[in-house]
Amino acid sequence: GENVEQHPSTLSVQEGDSAVIKCTYSDSASNYFPWYKQELGKRPQLIIDIRSNVGEKKDQRIAVTLNKTAKHFSLHITETQPEDSAVYFCAVNYGGSQGNLIFGKGTKLSVKP
Amino acid sequence: KAGVTQTPRYLIKTRGQQVTLSCSPISGHRSVSWYQQTPGQGLQFLFEYFSETQRNKGNFPGRFSGRQFSNSRSEMNVSTLELGDSALYLCASSLVARYGNEQFFGPGTRLTVL
């Protein structure tokens, strides 16, 4: 089945620095790559997503890059703020399906003021 | 629009019992997916329903089942509960699209099995 590997599992940065989280996947049929942010005790919330027909997408301080050939995609957060502290999950849609997301194990990001 | 809602929010059961969880998707969303979240295994896909039919299924035993009603509301059932079933159960709804589409998560049901 599909395997999504996410690194690092924990990441600590100073406020204002950049943070990068990387994920690799194995299913070449996957065509949708979302990133979710989950704060403690809350539901996962989509922060950015990318589809296989583009290589990069940016939304203010957040960007995602996709390399379909190498089967990896990354989340970039610039000018980090303490409120960015949370667990971030990458995901891929298994087999290109609509509702079946396979998640990475998560990255706990801590932004120190 | 109201978000995805789940009931109950918390549940305590004992081993061997069964439990039913409910999920109401965002109005107009026809796809509902269920996930189990635990500290050790992370977020794992259980199944997805669309138009009252199970469209995808994850790698969980047959004790885990679900269904979807004509109004898109969905329920999942776990029979013969085991201690390892203690988890946060999340449902997510999405519009139907040819490719993957954004899934909106509910607040989850925290199940504790004693």
Side-chain angles (χ1 to χ4, degrees):
Chain A
E2 172 67 281
N3 184 40
V4 178
E5 294 204 3
Q6 183 172 344
H7 298 282
S9 56
T10 60
L11 181 59
S12 182
V13 300
Q14 209 65 35
E15 183 177 0
D17 288 349
S18 294
V20 180
I21 303 170
K22 299 181 180 180
C23 287
T24 60
Y25 62 98
S26 57
D27 181 15
S28 57
S30 297
N31 53 27
Y32 177 62
F33 308 90
W35 286 89
Y36 283 85
K37 175 184 180 182
Q38 187 175 29
E39 296 176 53
L40 191 63
K42 296 191 175 180
R43 71 189 77 185
Q45 293 202 304
L46 182 78
I47 55 172
I48 196 166
D49 57 12
I50 192 168
R51 290 179 172 79
S52 57
N53 56 343
V54 297
E56 185 173 357
K57 183 177 178 181
K58 190 174 181 180
D59 182 5
Q60 299 183 344
R61 297 186 298 108
I62 294 173
V64 57
T65 58
L66 171 65
N67 184 326
K68 277 217 80 177
T69 303
K71 295 194 183 71
H72 66 73
F73 58 112
S74 300
L75 175 71
H76 304 253
I77 306 175
T78 59
E79 299 171 27
T80 54
Q81 301 166 3
E83 52 264 38
D84 293 331
S85 297
V87 179
Y88 291 81
F89 294 95
C90 64
V92 304
N93 64 330
Y94 179 60
S97 65
Q98 163 65 25
N100 178 354
L101 290 179
I102 306 300
F103 284 84
K105 293 293 189 189
T107 296
K108 184 176 182 180
L109 174 64
S110 300
V111 180
K112 300 184 186 307
Chain B
K1 275 187 179 179
V4 179
T5 58
Q6 292 186 245
T7 57
R9 293 293 311 280
Y10 301 91
L11 209 47
I12 299 175
K13 293 286 187 179
T14 57
R15 279 180 297 175
Q17 289 187 309
Q18 75 166 21
V19 66
T20 299
L21 314 181
S22 180
C23 172
S24 292
I26 292 171
S27 177
H29 286 194
R30 296 166 65 190
S31 169
V32 175
S33 298
W34 287 89
Y35 297 87
Q36 180 195 66
Q37 186 172 30
T38 59
Q41 297 299 317
L43 276 156
Q44 292 186 287
F45 172 75
L46 281 155
F47 29 65
E48 183 222 355
Y49 285 87
F50 170 69
S51 290
E52 303 177 64
T53 301
Q54 188 180 85
R55 190 158 67 170
N56 290 292
K57 188 177 190 304
N59 189 26
F60 277 80
R63 301 185 295 106
F64 292 81
S65 62
R67 58 177 175 168
Q68 186 180 35
F69 302 94
S70 58
N71 61 358
S72 294
R73 189 178 71 85
S74 177
E75 289 181 348
M76 68 163 280
N77 184 276
V78 187
S79 63
T80 319
L81 285 166
E82 300 177 359
L83 295 178
D85 296 334
S86 294
L88 179 67
Y89 289 89
L90 293 158
C91 76
S93 74
S94 64
L95 286 170
V96 178
R98 181 181 176 186
Y99 299 106
N101 213 332
E102 179 178 0
Q103 293 194 18
F104 294 85
F105 281 87
T109 294
R110 173 75 61 183
L111 172 64
T112 301
V113 182
L114 303 176

